[in-house]
């Protein structure tokens, strides 16, 4: 893509938003872009992501142009494999310089993920002000490095002075998908959409946009428990990587071929690789089971959704566990270790979803942590940097 084609009238602010890799990075980035457009309709926004990652599809679907960098994450377990990563990093920095020269951004926003490193570094070296959005309660390595030259650092948790210069920090919260906040879906409409019963308690199982092996294996092993509790129904997002494995497990258990999202002998189960209609899923869910990504947690807070968090152990600095414990300490979530999920998770979910007092308490406490205007707060800080 020729970035020169993306440049509009010189009076329009030109903004780069960089990062991605997972929905937890992409959805907040799109929310920030939408907020910028709402405040400044003529803003010229260019996304920069990582080649082959999900942002290369999700961002154009949201109506924004994107350029991919050939960047990849470091392999911390096999250091010898990182020579190729270093080559990709150098190529990404060269391409980032080209983007800056052609697009001439007035400010750059980093939302985390592989691509934000080289892009924001090049912008800072060119004297372009940068803003970092740190979603987690424990700052990532990339953002800690970029913070030294950043003009603003927008965070979602208190106490981030441990990682960043206090004078640059602004507590904004994490942006979430706007359609979740604007939804008017009723429980009956949501149940009809998934072919489920609006009168039954519903557990929504989310492994993130890419899926989660532990959650899927736990659910596969619990199919007998799910069938044995017909009064509770499940919506299960497997992630694209695991959908065929999950369907095979369901077919093996039931003896029925599962061709789509339902199987006749398990009427209280809906399975799909990716749920695009999240307002529907949240509208029906009485309890959510999820990894502890910062973006997901922000959605649960805004919607007041009771949640059992199962932090991924495969993330930098174990930041998901820190995210989860930040809620647990405020009685705003339940927590199951990844290693304990196969033996504890489904029984805890079944116990919790039928306990109305517990659901009410969790909902009340998590809703107190919500920051509903995060995207607009961040957008205003971006525009301030351009004015300055």
């Amino acid at each position: 893509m020729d970035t020169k084609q993306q440049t509009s009238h010189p009076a329009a602010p030109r903004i780069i938003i960089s990062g991605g890799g997972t929905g937890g990075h992409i959805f907040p980035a799109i929310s920030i872009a939408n907020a910028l457009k709402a405040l400044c309709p003529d803003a010229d926004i260019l996304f920069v992501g990582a080649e082959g990652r999900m942002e290369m599809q999700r961002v154009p679907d949201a109506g924004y142009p994107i350029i991919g960098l050939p960047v990849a994450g470091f392999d911390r377990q096999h250091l010898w494999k990182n020579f190729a990563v270093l080559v990709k990093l150098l190529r990404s920095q060269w391409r980032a310089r080209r983007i800056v020269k052609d697009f001439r951004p007035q400010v750059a926003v980093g939302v985390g993920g592989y691509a934000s490193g080289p892009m924001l570094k090049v912008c800072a070296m060119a004297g372009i002000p940068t803003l970092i959005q740190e979603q987690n309660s424990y700052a990532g390595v990339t953002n800690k490095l970029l913070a030294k030259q950043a003009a603003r650092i927008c965070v979602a948790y208190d106490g981030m002075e441990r990682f960043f210069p206090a004078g640059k920090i602004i507590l904004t919260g994490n942006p979430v998908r706007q359609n979740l906040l604007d939804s008017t879906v009723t429980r009956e409409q949501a149940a009809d959409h998934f072919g489920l019963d609006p009168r039954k308690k519903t557990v929504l199982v989310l492994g993130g946009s890419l899926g989660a092996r532990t959650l899927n294996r736990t659910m596969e092993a619990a199919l007998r428990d799910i069938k044995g509790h017909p009064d509770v129904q499940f919506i299960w997002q497997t992630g694209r990587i695991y959908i065929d494995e999950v369907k095979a497990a369901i077919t093996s258990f039931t003896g029925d071929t599962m061709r789509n999202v339902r199987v006749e002998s398990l009427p209280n189960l809906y399975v799909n690789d990716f749920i695009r209609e999240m307002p529907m899923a949240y509208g029906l869910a009485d309890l959510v089971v999820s990894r502890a990504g910062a973006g997901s947690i922000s959605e649960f807070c805004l919607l007041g959704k009771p949640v059992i968090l199962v932090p991924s152990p495969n993330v930098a600095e174990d930041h998901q566990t820190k995210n989860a414990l930040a809620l647990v300490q405020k009685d705003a979530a339940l927590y199951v270790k990844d290693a304990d999920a196969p033996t504890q998770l489904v029984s805890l979910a079944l116990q919790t979803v039928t306990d109305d007092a517990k659901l009410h308490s969790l909902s009340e406490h998590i809703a107190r942590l919500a920051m509903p205007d995060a995207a607009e707060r961040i957008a205003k800080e971006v525009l301030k940097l351009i004015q300055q």
Side-chain angles (χ1 to χ4, degrees):
M1 184 188 298
D2 183 357
T3 52
K4 290 180 181 177
Q5 295 177 0
Q6 305 305 330
T7 307
S8 59
H9 190 275
R14 296 180 304 280
I15 302 161
I16 280 178
I17 300 178
S18 185
T22 68
H25 291 126
I26 298 162
F27 297 132
I30 292 171
S31 293
I32 293 169
N34 291 342
L36 284 164
K37 279 289 189 181
L39 292 171
C40 187
D42 64 342
D44 195 358
I45 299 171
L46 174 66
F47 279 75
V48 178
E51 289 178 350
R53 305 292 286 187
M54 64 183 295
E55 60 263 28
M56 302 307 294
Q57 176 185 343
R58 302 284 178 219
V59 169
D61 286 350
Y64 296 100
I66 186 169
I67 297 175
L69 301 180
V71 67
F74 279 92
D75 190 329
R76 301 183 186 201
Q77 294 182 326
H78 308 95
L79 296 179
W80 57 272
K81 292 184 178 180
N82 287 318
F83 177 76
V85 175
L86 288 170
V87 173
K88 289 181 178 181
L89 181 60
L90 292 172
R91 287 178 56 211
S92 296
Q93 289 182 346
W94 178 86
R95 192 174 296 181
R97 284 195 290 270
R98 185 83 234 172
I99 292 169
V100 168
K101 183 179 179 183
D102 290 346
F103 186 70
R104 295 179 293 116
Q106 293 164 288
V107 65
V109 179
V111 295
Y114 300 147
S116 64
M119 192 69 245
L120 264 71
K121 180 180 178 182
V122 166
C123 285
M125 290 173 64
I128 297 161
T130 61
L131 179 146
I132 296 168
Q133 199 248 328
E134 174 54 62
Q135 298 159 6
N136 294 292
S137 60
Y138 193 93
V141 173
T142 300
N143 276 352
K144 283 191 279 189
L145 292 172
L146 293 172
K148 297 172 184 176
Q149 293 179 296
R152 296 278 192 285
I153 303 167
C154 295
V155 302
Y157 293 88
D158 294 321
M160 297 303 286
E161 297 83 2
R162 294 175 294 158
F163 310 107
F164 303 128
K168 296 181 179 182
I169 294 174
I170 301 171
L171 183 64
T172 59
N174 283 327
V176 301
R177 291 172 273 194
Q178 192 62 38
N179 64 339
L180 298 178
L181 301 179
D182 298 339
S183 175
T184 57
V185 171
T186 66
R187 186 177 181 88
E188 288 70 24
Q189 289 171 330
D192 183 64
H193 176 82
F194 293 108
L196 297 172
D197 188 336
R199 297 165 296 179
K200 291 183 178 180
K201 294 290 188 179
T202 304
V203 180
L204 172 62
V205 181
L206 301 172
S209 53
L210 302 178
R213 183 185 301 275
T214 297
L215 295 188
N216 288 326
R217 294 279 169 84
T218 298
M219 288 290 288
E220 288 171 16
L223 290 172
R224 190 171 303 280
D225 288 331
I226 292 170
K227 187 171 185 178
H229 289 80
D231 54 326
V232 177
Q233 52 198 12
F234 289 79
I235 299 172
W236 176 9
Q237 177 181 274
T238 68
R240 176 177 50 83
I241 300 169
Y242 302 104
I243 186 64
D244 290 337
E245 173 190 308
V246 168
K247 285 185 175 181
I250 292 172
T251 296
S252 175
F253 172 71
T254 62
D256 299 334
T257 300
M258 185 175 186
R259 293 187 176 88
N260 48 33
V261 296
R262 302 298 303 279
V263 60
E264 189 173 335
S265 55
L266 280 173
N268 59 331
L269 179 64
Y270 173 99
V271 179
N272 211 340
D273 61 338
F274 185 75
I275 299 172
R276 287 175 174 80
E277 310 82 5
M278 283 307 296
M280 294 280 189
Y282 282 134
L284 186 57
D286 298 287
L287 175 69
V288 181
V289 174
S290 174
R291 289 305 203 189
S296 297
I297 287 176
S298 295
E299 292 182 355
F300 306 147
C301 292
L302 284 165
L303 298 172
K305 282 295 168 184
V307 61
I308 301 174
L309 296 171
V310 187
S312 170
N314 306 312
V315 294
E317 287 85 34
D318 196 25
H319 68 252
Q320 286 203 5
T321 295
K322 298 176 177 70
N323 290 348
L325 292 177
L327 269 69
V328 171
Q329 289 162 4
K330 297 179 180 178
D331 296 322
L334 301 177
Y335 161 58
V336 174
K337 289 183 180 179
D338 186 84
D340 295 335
T343 57
Q344 297 180 14
L345 180 58
V346 172
S347 60
L348 179 61
L350 289 167
Q351 174 187 333
T352 305
V353 79
T354 53
D355 184 341
D356 287 338
K358 187 65 175 178
L359 291 177
H360 178 76
S361 174
L362 288 169
S363 176
E364 193 174 60
H365 286 111
I366 199 169
R368 292 175 186 168
L369 306 177
M371 300 182 76
D373 56 349
E376 183 180 353
R377 291 187 190 189
I378 295 168
K380 286 179 178 178
E381 293 299 327
V382 172
L383 295 175
K384 282 181 190 176
L385 289 175
I386 295 175
Q387 293 164 1
Q388 291 171 5

